[in-house]
Amino acid sequence: MKLFFSGHQEKYAVEQTLLTLFPQERPVYPDQAPGGDNELELSFSRGKTWCTASALLRREGKTYAKQCRVRTDALPADDPVTATRLTRRTLQRAFYLAAVEHLGTEPPWGMLSGVRPVKLPTRAMEAGATPRQAEAMLRDQYRVTPARRALAMDCAQASLAVKRSLEPQEISLYVGIPFCPTRCAYCSFISSSGSANRLIPAYLEGLFQEIDAAGAACQRAGKTVRSVYIGGGTPTTLSASQLAQLLDRLRSAFALKPGTEFTVEAGRPDTITREKLEAIRNGGGNRISVNPQTMSDQVLEAIGRSHRAEDIRRAYALAREVQVGAINMDLIAGLPADTVEGFQETLNQVIALDPENITVHTLALKRGARLRQEEAPLPTGEEAARMLTFAWQSLRKAGYLPYYLYRQKFMSGAFENVGWCKPGYENVYNICMMEELHTVLSLGAGGVTKTIGEGCVARLANPKYPQEYIQQIQRIVAEKAAWV
């Protein structure tokens, strides 16, 4: 879509709204004057009493005009952060109203385009708003639909409960294992597979050095670990002995409180063995993921997984037998070769297994994923909506509650990913990480440490790829030694 601005240069905010409303469009900034089709003129003018955002959207031979205003005295010159935020919101609203008049429908999350919609009601309630007032804000200011408002409010309450339980010296710990047996068609995570897994011994050698340096820094600063999350990749690509060494190293380096939440993503059932599960349990792990994504053999083949649904049931039963702790199972709505009926059957089978956590993702076609490059046929946004509606109804009926959610770019239907749990099984790490409640120290390739301060987040990123991480390990170790 061609974009023409006057009186402002808020490219990022407008582009985010464009991506939400017209996901197939990309922004173009032409040199010529406006007057064609498939274009937006968006202006901002400042008057003595009112500032006005005006949108002219031309699509398919028709023009849609909308204006939104904000009081000039609400944009204080001595508070540029507030002034910029309100200017952006006013511009986005004008564009949004013109677009939904053309589309004849509104996105499920209304005007919201960010990753963390739960932050809005959480912050409102922390500032003194009642839950009803916080929900009204989502409705009136951002035009969020009733179903998504309910999700956001449930997750906000879970976030506030976790925040109240956190101690000032506590942090969470993430450890990245960027290796997989094979790469799934939808995946864009930093991970290596196949012959690249030969790097694992050298990678672990470097990771152990980083663990020791970061652990010593945390011990000196009096930091204790509230939650641990070993993710990837697929951490159970490691052997049982490698997993045991990793968990022992973490326990010796960091001050883990009794009852520390300790998650290891077992993930793919083709990497799960009794020996690995026992290593996780004996090393302090008390929560794992056994992630089907789907229980359809046809869909598993379409996304590039070599295992079958029976392997998932076997791995789940083995995890229960070993008594490794709480189990999470991930599902994805909108996978290639899937149908609404197929997704419903998958969910019914997973609920029947009775895991403590079920995370329902919506397929996001990320730039690095093979699915996006191949342009494979996928369920429509309407079909994805039916899958998610069925999930909400079925999970609530089975006693699960939503406790965290986040959104991503290029998601089918502009929906969301939602973590559901049985009462008392909220995953502290997921909430702290997504809602940025406290510092998350990240180790390993691709890890991004987020230090949460007063009103700000400082980031420290490790190299993305295993080979780069190994080559730069001395610099990384020095950074972690001086981190706190």
Side-chain angles (χ1 to χ4, degrees), residues 261-381:
E261 178 188 272
F262 202 132
T263 302
V264 181
E265 279 195 354
R268 292 177 49 155
D270 48 348
T271 66
I272 297 174
T273 66
R274 177 181 295 274
E275 292 74 21
K276 292 179 184 181
L277 292 173
E278 289 174 346
I280 293 170
R281 182 198 62 199
N282 296 339
N286 52 32
R287 183 179 183 273
I288 67 167
S289 292
V290 179
N291 295 336
Q293 316 304 2
T294 175
M295 297 295 280
S296 164
D297 289 347
Q298 178 184 359
V299 180
L300 285 169
E301 184 175 355
I303 63 176
R305 289 200 165 194
S306 58
H307 64 265
R308 293 296 175 258
E310 183 55 38
D311 299 316
I312 297 165
R313 287 186 282 269
R314 174 197 60 79
Y316 183 90
L318 185 60
R320 287 301 192 205
E321 184 180 334
V322 174
Q323 298 182 343
V324 75
I327 298 178
N328 171 74
M329 302 186 82
D330 280 6
L331 304 178
I332 300 179
L335 288 171
D338 207 357
T339 64
V340 174
E341 294 73 21
F343 178 84
Q344 292 173 347
E345 178 59 26
T346 283
L347 185 66
N348 287 336
Q349 289 186 42
V350 169
I351 289 175
L353 290 172
D354 201 33
E356 286 76 12
N357 297 78
I358 298 175
T359 306
V360 181
H361 297 266
T362 306
L363 180 66
L365 287 180
K366 303 171 189 175
R367 287 190 177 92
R370 177 162 56 85
L371 274 184
R372 183 165 180 178
Q373 298 165 0
E374 294 175 349
E375 298 183 354
L378 301 168
T380 65

Side-chain angles (χ1 to χ4, degrees), residues 7-179:
H8 72 96
Q9 280 298 318
E10 295 294 344
K11 289 186 176 182
Y12 180 79
V14 176
E15 288 174 2
Q16 292 304 298
T17 303
L18 174 67
L19 180 63
T20 299
L21 295 164
F22 302 100
Q24 303 306 317
E25 297 281 355
R26 295 295 176 267
V28 177
Y29 296 94
D31 295 330
Q32 72 268 25
D37 198 42
N38 194 31
E39 64 182 28
L40 170 71
E41 289 186 66
L42 190 60
S43 64
F44 191 80
S45 59
R46 180 182 291 267
K48 184 176 181 180
T49 304
W50 294 98
C51 294
T52 304
S54 301
L56 281 176
L57 176 66
R58 300 182 181 91
R59 293 273 293 183
E60 300 173 0
K62 295 183 179 180
T63 300
Y64 306 88
K66 294 293 179 181
Q67 286 189 336
C68 290
R69 300 192 304 175
V70 61
R71 290 190 62 88
T72 302
D73 57 14
L75 307 178
D78 59 349
D79 187 357
V81 173
T82 297
T84 298
R85 183 173 66 248
L86 290 177
T87 298
R88 288 172 177 168
R89 186 187 301 169
T90 307
L91 287 162
Q92 288 177 301
R93 191 176 186 87
F95 178 18
Y96 179 89
L97 293 176
V100 297
E101 183 176 332
H102 160 68
L103 294 169
T105 186
E106 297 198 40
W109 286 98
M111 290 176 56
L112 293 180
S113 58
V115 171
R116 299 176 173 86
V118 175
K119 277 193 169 184
L120 289 169
T122 299
R123 287 174 174 172
M125 288 188 286
E126 285 183 308
T130 66
R132 178 173 293 184
Q133 290 170 329
E135 184 177 356
M137 173 196 64
L138 293 176
R139 180 192 66 212
D140 299 336
Q141 292 187 29
Y142 297 99
R143 302 173 70 99
V144 179
T145 60
R148 265 64 194 186
R149 294 201 304 269
L151 274 180
M153 293 306 301
D154 281 342
C155 294
Q157 296 288 7
S159 176
L160 288 170
V162 167
K163 187 170 185 177
R164 288 191 293 268
S165 75
L166 297 175
E167 298 292 339
Q169 80 282 1
E170 290 179 339
I171 65 170
S172 286
L173 179 63
Y174 176 84
V175 182
I177 306 296
F179 301 96

Side-chain angles (χ1 to χ4, degrees), residues 173 205-221 249-250 252-254 441 443 469 473-484:
L173 179 63
E205 182 180 340
L207 178 60
F208 291 165
Q209 294 180 49
E210 187 184 13
I211 288 171
D212 291 345
C218 287
Q219 296 272 16
R220 288 194 300 271
R249 201 71 168 237
L250 289 169
S252 64
F254 291 93
L441 172 60
L443 310 177
Y469 176 82
I473 191 61
Q474 295 309 314
R475 175 186 62 80
I476 296 166
V477 167
E479 288 179 343
K480 288 303 190 301
W483 171 66
V484 180

Side-chain angles (χ1 to χ4, degrees), residues 174-180 203-204 207 230-235 237-238 246 445:
Y174 176 84
V175 182
I177 306 296
F179 301 96
C180 285
Y203 178 81
L204 288 178
L207 178 60
I230 302 179
T234 305
T237 302
L238 303 182
L246 172 59

